[in-house]
Amino acid sequence: NDGQAGSHTYQALTADGLFGSVEPPRRSTGRLIMHSLAMFGREFCYAVEAAYVTPVLLSVGLPKSLYSMVWLLSPLLGFLLQPVVGSASDHCRSRWGRRRPYILSLAIMMLLGLALYLNGDAVVSALVVNPRRKLALAISITMMGVVLFDFAADFIDGPIKAYLFDVCSHGDKERGLHYHAFFTGFGGALGYILGAIDWAHLELGRVLGTEFQVMFFFTALMLTFCFIIHLCSIPEVPLTDFAKDISPQQTSGSSPLSSDGMYEYGSIEKVKNGYINPELAMQVGKHKSPAEQPQRAMTIKSLLRALTSMPPHYRCLCISHLIGWTAFLSNMLFFTDFMGQIVYRGDPYSPHNSTEFLIYERGVEVGCWGLCINSVFSSIYSYSQKALVSYIGLKGLYFMGYLLFGLGTGLIGLFPNVYSTLVLCTLFGVMSSTLYTVPFSLITEYHHEEEKERQQEPGWSTGAGSPERGKGVDCAALTCMVQLAQILVGGGLGFLVNTAGSVAVVVIAASAVAFIGCCFVALFIRYVD
């Protein structure tokens, strides 16, 4: 806008750079908060699962030999299939957009998983009379529900992030990621608090039957509400709009300029967002019309080629994300057990009416409050990151998150004490907020830098800028490191605890891995000025 009323200049549509790099419009704070509610609902359900999944599995009589299958099956599926889902969303031609159909499908799978593992035992008990058949069905349905929920909840993070990157300007991506982290911590804190309430002795628990049904009522209501708001927050540009908006004459080299030299608004007017995503525009074709340009399907072979040809700075970012989540999950998955056995000196293998077992249960309850403190401080720190990044940059935020977590877990392991442990739980929140924001902020910086290079050199095409791998695959490659970390933690820490004979080795190992991550993010991660 050069100051004249109604005068808007747009970059010309050429054969080499279709719509150039037209930034999406600025998004209001309200829209970004609506978009972030998906993370609130997801983490709320995650916290409820963390509080109730072990009691549910124990109540249906799941054998200990099947525990490892429950915890390893979902991350294995996620690690293998998440890049495929990310690539499929990059090429989705739904009229509703590229990401939202996948987010809706995965949200429904989360709801179905919650229904199966929280209500499966009650439904089977009401329908089946044979005790042996009832036990087998209850175990099968509960396991299926846990795996389905974990699978969908892990998968959905990638499309949500890619959705944010598609519809927001560069500055709004940063704001959106901070809101995502803030609501992630807030949702987790509320979920842990809700799970700590003894619903069995309250009126709602008596009306709905058991505390498991109360939890399903709240989680289903919260999940449905949050994802409806999220899916209605910001409209997407359907991929098929480009075939309609760009005529063969334009793509073959004819001038798209009107007689007065200004860009004709008609071809953009049909787009609901009022902008053209440059990544989508690159997929239409440079010298062929849409009718002549064959659609290239993403096969497993081409997907693996796109992932293996990932630029080195993307690969290093994935490795650092793997190190961070390995350290974080090593501590978080065993934290309540550490509180019960090491801090409170209880014994989970004692008879259930013994003093040692009751002390252990008390430690587990206090450990849940420690996880709640972690979630609350994660929200607070996520909000303060916007101010800190202007002083210490993304490198400082990344390094500080790993360093503080390494120091906190090391002190907890060396000097186990109730009050100091609860205070140091605040440092867990720094780490979780860092893992949810900084790596994805670096992804947006890399994409932004590549878009600027593409503008300067229209023929430039490599790495994330290539048509074979878009934002969906980049986000999926990053988030599937979480599943790989779960596999490493689930498969390795049990052996480590059995060898050392104490769960204290877990937090010491988490501290050591975090310090390795400090060195890695300082030496090998590429930061954009």
Side-chain angles (χ1 to χ4, degrees):
N1 192 336
D2 58 3
Q4 299 177 1
S7 176
H8 300 276
T9 305
Y10 294 87
Q11 183 175 346
L13 173 65
T14 65
D16 289 325
L18 288 175
F19 278 96
S21 181
V22 182
E23 277 268 298
R26 293 279 296 176
R27 303 298 179 187
S28 66
T29 299
R31 290 285 179 178
L32 293 177
I33 289 176
M34 290 170 64
H35 193 279
S36 303
L37 284 180
M39 301 304 295
F40 178 90
R42 171 181 176 267
E43 201 65 22
F44 178 87
C45 295
Y46 252 143
V48 171
E49 186 207 28
Y52 277 88
V53 68
T54 301
V56 169
L57 291 174
L58 292 174
S59 68
V60 299
L62 181 71
K64 291 184 177 180
S65 59
L66 296 179
Y67 274 9
S68 59
M69 182 187 299
V70 173
W71 297 120
L72 290 179
L73 185 58
S74 174
L76 277 172
L77 291 173
F79 178 70
L80 294 174
L81 298 179
Q82 196 164 82
V84 177
V85 173
S87 173
S89 71
D90 280 334
H91 296 79
C92 178
R93 303 183 68 84
S94 168
R95 295 298 304 171
W96 207 33
R98 293 194 293 170
R99 318 295 180 187
R100 290 190 291 177
Y102 288 90
I103 294 173
L104 176 62
S105 301
L106 292 168
I108 293 173
M109 289 173 63
M110 287 176 64
L111 190 60
L112 180 60
L114 286 169
L116 289 177
Y117 96 81
L118 286 174
N119 300 305
D121 185 35
V123 173
V124 170
S125 299
L127 298 178
V128 179
V129 178
N130 189 312
R132 295 185 62 183
R133 189 182 174 197
K134 180 167 66 175
L135 177 63
L137 277 175
I139 292 174
S140 301
I141 290 175
T142 304
M143 286 181 60
M144 187 185 305
V146 172
V147 171
L148 185 63
F149 173 80
D150 281 338
F151 174 82
D154 290 340
F155 258 62
I156 206 168
D157 189 46
I160 289 173
K161 293 293 193 298
Y163 176 19
L164 176 73
F165 295 166
D166 286 344
V167 299
C168 290
S169 63
H170 183 64
D172 285 342
K173 291 174 187 177
E174 298 287 339
R175 293 171 59 213
L177 286 173
H178 290 305
Y179 283 124
H180 276 201
F182 175 80
F183 280 100
T184 295
F186 186 36
L190 188 59
Y192 285 124
I193 291 173
L194 201 68
I197 299 174
D198 186 7
W199 294 101
H201 295 88
L202 298 178
E203 184 63 29
L204 187 60
R206 287 190 287 269
V207 170
L208 294 179
T210 67
E211 57 184 350
F212 297 156
Q213 277 70 60
V214 174
M215 285 297 100
F216 175 71
F217 171 76
F218 281 115
T219 52
L221 188 65
M222 189 65 71
L223 186 69
T224 303
F225 171 77
C226 289
F227 275 91
I228 288 175
I229 298 297
H230 168 76
L231 294 171
C232 297
S233 59
I234 305 173
E236 286 189 271
V237 179
L239 190 60
T240 53
D241 278 359
F242 296 97
K244 296 181 179 180
D245 292 339
I246 304 173
S247 65
Q249 291 80 11
Q250 288 175 327
T251 54
S252 62
S254 62
S255 173
L257 298 180
S258 61
S259 58
D260 61 358
M262 295 297 174
Y263 193 90
E264 290 192 3
Y265 193 76
S267 62
I268 303 181
E269 192 174 19
K270 298 177 185 178
V271 181
K272 297 178 180 63
N273 277 14
Y275 78 99
I276 292 293
N277 189 320
E279 182 188 343
L280 298 181
M282 293 296 290
Q283 298 184 29
V284 178
K286 292 184 177 180
H287 300 289
K288 292 184 179 182
S289 68
E292 297 169 344
Q293 180 75 21
Q295 289 297 318
R296 177 168 50 186
M298 176 61 76
T299 63
I300 295 294
K301 182 179 179 181
S302 62
L303 174 62
L304 291 175
R305 185 169 62 249
L307 291 173
T308 54
S309 63
M310 180 182 292
H313 52 281
Y314 281 92
R315 193 176 298 115
C316 288
L317 185 60
C318 288
I319 294 172
S320 71
H321 206 53
L322 173 62
I323 294 172
W325 274 105
T326 301
F328 187 71
L329 291 175
S330 297
N331 181 67
M332 301 306 289
L333 293 181
F334 289 85
F335 181 71
T336 54
D337 189 44
F338 172 81
M339 288 290 291
Q341 289 196 57
I342 305 301
V343 178
Y344 274 78
R345 303 185 184 278
D347 186 2
Y349 305 106
S350 297
H352 287 196
N353 58 351
S354 65
T355 303
E356 290 80 5
F357 184 81
L358 295 177
I359 291 174
Y360 173 79
E361 281 195 327
R362 176 59 181 164
V364 170
E365 291 175 0
V366 175
C368 288
W369 284 108
L371 296 178
C372 181
I373 292 172
N374 152 62
S375 297
V376 170
F377 198 79
S378 176
S379 290
I380 297 171
Y381 182 73
S382 300
Y383 191 77
S384 65
Q385 274 186 341
K386 293 186 289 184
L388 287 174
V389 72
S390 60
Y391 293 100
I392 60 177
L394 288 176
K395 184 176 183 178
L397 285 178
Y398 213 5
F399 182 82
M400 187 171 68
Y402 281 63
L403 178 63
L404 293 179
F405 181 79
L407 289 173
T409 51
L411 290 173
I412 287 173
L414 294 174
F415 309 104
N417 177 271
V418 177
Y419 300 106
S420 63
T421 299
L422 291 177
V423 170
L424 290 171
C425 282
T426 57
L427 300 184
F428 303 166
V430 174
M431 183 63 163
S432 63
S433 177
T434 299
L435 292 173
Y436 279 121
T437 55
V438 177
F440 293 99
S441 294
L442 288 171
I443 286 282
T444 64
E445 294 291 344
Y446 296 160
H447 284 188
H448 186 61
E449 182 186 50
E450 290 164 0
E451 286 173 5
K452 290 193 294 185
E453 290 187 26
R454 191 182 297 119
Q455 289 178 16
Q456 297 171 1
E457 300 178 23
W460 181 85
S461 177
T462 185
S466 69
E468 283 193 13
R469 199 180 83 248
K471 294 184 179 72
V473 175
D474 286 337
C475 292
L478 194 61
T479 54
C480 76
M481 294 299 105
V482 182
Q483 279 79 55
L484 183 55
Q486 289 181 25
I487 295 169
L488 294 176
V489 171
L493 280 188
F495 172 78
L496 190 62
V497 171
N498 290 332
T499 302
S502 172
V503 75
V505 71
V506 172
V507 291
I508 300 298
S511 178
V513 174
F515 284 127
I516 293 172
C518 280
C519 299
F520 194 91
V521 300
L523 299 176
F524 298 102
I525 298 299
R526 179 169 165 267
Y527 300 92
V528 180
D529 294 331

